[in-house]
Amino acid sequence: MAAPGLRLGAERLFAMPAVLELLSRSNSTSQAFAEVLRLPKQQLRKLLYPLQEVERFLAPDSRQDLHLRIFDPSPEDIARADNVFTATKGNRIDYVSSAVRIDHAPDLPRPEVCFIGRSNVGKSSLIKALFSLAPEVEVRVSKKPGHTKKMNFFKVGKHFTVVDMPGYGYRAPEDFVDMVETYLKERRNLKRTFLLVDSVVGIQKTDNIAIEMCEEFALPYVIVLTKIDKSSKGHLLKQVLQIQKFVNTKTQGCFPQLFPVSSVTFSGIHLLRSFIASVTGNLD
């Protein structure tokens, strides 16, 4: 059972350093996350809640359009999600198999989430960052765009499955549309699709392929902004506002809140782990 006060909202926790210290000493908190909680306040906020970090650069009249705290887990929830992503003897995290067609995909009964995006958007790098607490899991990352040609399945203990989809656009597999469209339409245990958008260049024409698929099939999906370490604060803020406007006015099935991440600095990775754990029923 959590110690009293640990389920406070993120804002109140940041105002109560003693509670953060208590959480860092909790037996349910991993050593890695305990070290994170001891970071200085501003550095901790930037790492755990990067979208809230850019809030202070917004003009007051812009803040009402930006959804910052629809998903706003406490540090305790984030710690629980990190435990889900930590490989142990009782929580094995493994590559399962690859498939080029849905009928070749492994029959896994657990909830599933998939990651999709343009070639070179940083998809495999992001999945590798999510699995950093399970270093033995091999996620192949290439500097050449279009490296992923198949659907790659990874199981996270008995909790859920993560699917790394082929990239679209440059060097995409010839049967990309058939492969991905069939998967999105027929995979019954798919709980959420994570659509990756490069924060440096924003939504491109090729991204509309994936967006239209998700909208057409009425699938719940989330936009994840990658490579935020490569953008200045001003440029990132501009992209966030433009993409948020697109989500607010042009989509039906997209989760309103954006998830900015960096696979280099790990900013936003803990929050994204928490959201995955939540939509797969592991933070209930």
Side-chain angles (χ1 to χ4, degrees):
M1 176 180 274
L6 295 189
R7 295 306 298 268
L8 294 173
E11 285 301 313
R12 290 181 64 193
L13 272 171
F14 278 119
M16 302 174 67
V19 177
L20 281 174
E21 179 63 23
L22 180 61
L23 178 58
S24 72
R25 296 175 182 272
S26 171
N27 291 334
S28 63
T29 303
S30 69
Q31 182 178 352
F33 192 63
E35 293 176 4
V36 168
L37 290 172
R38 296 189 183 103
L39 292 172
K41 178 180 174 180
Q42 185 172 344
Q43 192 175 349
L44 179 63
R45 186 191 302 275
K46 186 176 181 180
L47 182 67
L48 297 185
Y49 307 101
L51 197 58
Q52 294 181 23
E53 171 65 15
V54 303
E55 180 183 17
R56 60 196 179 97
F57 298 100
L58 284 171
D61 59 345
S62 300
R63 296 182 184 183
Q64 60 185 358
D65 298 323
L66 188 60
H67 303 291
L68 296 169
R69 296 179 179 85
I70 295 176
F71 181 71
D72 188 23
S74 69
E76 188 206 28
D77 290 327
I78 295 177
R80 290 171 61 204
D82 267 23
N83 287 338
V84 170
F85 276 88
T86 300
T88 64
K89 288 183 178 179
N91 187 51
R92 295 191 60 180
I93 300 175
D94 297 305
Y95 163 77
V96 178
S97 65
S98 299
V100 295
R101 289 168 34 188
I102 189 64
D103 54 349
H104 292 168
D107 184 14
L108 302 171
R110 58 183 64 89
E112 202 158 277
V113 296
C114 75
F115 287 77
I116 189 171
R118 288 190 305 112
S119 299
N120 206 34
V121 75
K123 184 165 42 62
S124 296
S125 295
L126 173 57
I127 293 175
K128 189 176 181 68
L130 289 170
F131 286 157
S132 64
L133 300 174
E136 293 184 1
V137 177
E138 183 178 0
V139 181
R140 304 179 90 183
V141 178
S142 174
K143 294 182 179 180
K144 296 181 179 179
H147 176 77
T148 304
K149 299 294 186 182
K150 301 178 181 179
M151 299 179 285
N152 298 316
F153 294 78
F154 302 85
K155 69 172 183 178
V156 180
K158 297 179 180 179
H159 303 292
F160 53 84
T161 303
V162 171
V163 187
D164 183 6
M165 305 293 285
Y168 50 81
Y170 179 70
R171 294 189 65 191
E174 292 182 4
D175 56 349
F176 169 83
V177 173
D178 290 339
M179 183 194 311
V180 176
E181 183 177 280
T182 304
Y183 170 86
L184 294 177
K185 285 172 64 176
E186 299 184 6
R187 199 66 169 176
R188 298 304 176 197
N189 54 338
L190 178 62
K191 297 300 181 183
R192 195 75 52 148
T193 297
F194 290 85
L195 173 59
L196 276 55
V197 172
D198 189 332
S199 68
V200 178
V201 299
I203 294 176
Q204 302 292 291
K205 289 182 178 180
T206 49
D207 292 317
N208 288 319
I209 298 172
I211 293 171
E212 289 170 4
M213 282 185 185
C214 291
E215 292 287 337
E216 180 183 350
F217 305 145
L219 297 173
Y221 65 104
V222 182
I223 290 182
V224 178
L225 305 181
T226 63
K227 305 180 183 180
I228 63 172
D229 55 287
K230 294 187 177 181
S231 291
S232 65
K233 285 188 175 68
H235 182 74
L236 177 61
L237 188 57
K238 179 182 177 181
Q239 291 290 1
V240 164
L241 290 173
Q242 287 179 348
I243 295 170
Q244 184 72 74
K245 183 178 180 181
F246 175 87
V247 170
N248 293 349
T249 60
K250 303 292 185 182
T251 70
Q252 296 288 328
C254 187
F255 189 72
Q257 182 174 321
L258 306 176
F259 286 80
V261 297
S262 168
S263 301
V264 176
T265 67
F266 276 67
S267 181
I269 296 297
H270 296 279
L271 187 66
L272 189 57
R273 284 179 185 146
S274 300
F275 189 75
I276 294 170
S278 178
V279 299
T280 56
N282 290 285
L283 283 187
D284 295 341

